Amino acid sequence: MPINIGFNTTIREPILVSLVLEHLQNKVVILPWASSAFEGIVKNVSDTVSVQIFPTITHGTGTQAGADITETTFAVTKEQLTVDVIKNANIRISDYEDNLANFPLQDKLMEKLAEDMKKTLDIAVATTAIAGAHASNQVATSVVTKATIYADIEELAVKLDEGNAGDDRMCVLTPRLASYLRQADINNSTEAGDQRRVTGKIGEYAGMTIL
């Protein structure tokens, strides 16, 4: 997803873009968990890259030593990644507005642009991940409550373990679900639980960083 930023100002545009990206580094939450392996290849609208997917290999069960081994077809499949969404921001700053402002106008503008870019990028990554989740990696939960949320997170951890996921794991919660987790019984009468409720920072559960 390329994002274009345009300005009419006395400061050169590349400098402004770099300032936006500097603000952005401290704001994104979900984006850092997305792969950036093809960032240099797919960066403009309609850019496409072919990603190879290595097949799963499993062992069969034989009946006796020396018996023929059933042959398994080995095929590397491919998936096409294409840039099909573009976001634009075109801001006009007049000299009058720049001189009138009683605060560093351009720096504030970069910060506000970074905030909106953060939401755009984080939502895009989260939406894509949810839409592409395989059925075997989904937990069939229609209603999440403070009484069930910890069990739901444990079930997610089981799914990741069964799928041999790596140790670098995260779980993204909405503000409402994060509140449910802080209210869960597992946090009752424990120093760690009290700390989570006081600071609002959840930390880790079931081997996952809670965001």
Side-chain angles (χ1 to χ4, degrees), residues 137 154-167 169 206-207:
N137 293 329
E154 282 288 352
E155 185 61 24
L156 285 173
V158 170
K159 295 286 186 180
L160 292 173
D161 288 339
E162 292 175 343
N164 294 319
D167 294 331
R169 304 177 179 185

Side-chain angles (χ1 to χ4, degrees), residues 55-101:
T56 300
I57 298 177
T58 58
H59 287 80
T61 302
T63 56
Q64 60 184 23
D68 291 339
I69 300 174
T70 302
E71 185 179 87
T72 301
T73 301
F74 181 87
V76 176
T77 58
K78 293 188 297 183
E79 182 177 348
Q80 297 293 118
L81 298 182
T82 303
V83 177
D84 55 5
V85 176
I86 183 170
K87 299 292 185 180
N88 294 304
N90 190 9
I91 296 94
R92 180 179 183 276
I93 307 173
S94 70
D95 291 338
Y96 174 77
E97 290 168 331
D98 198 7
N99 293 328
L100 188 65

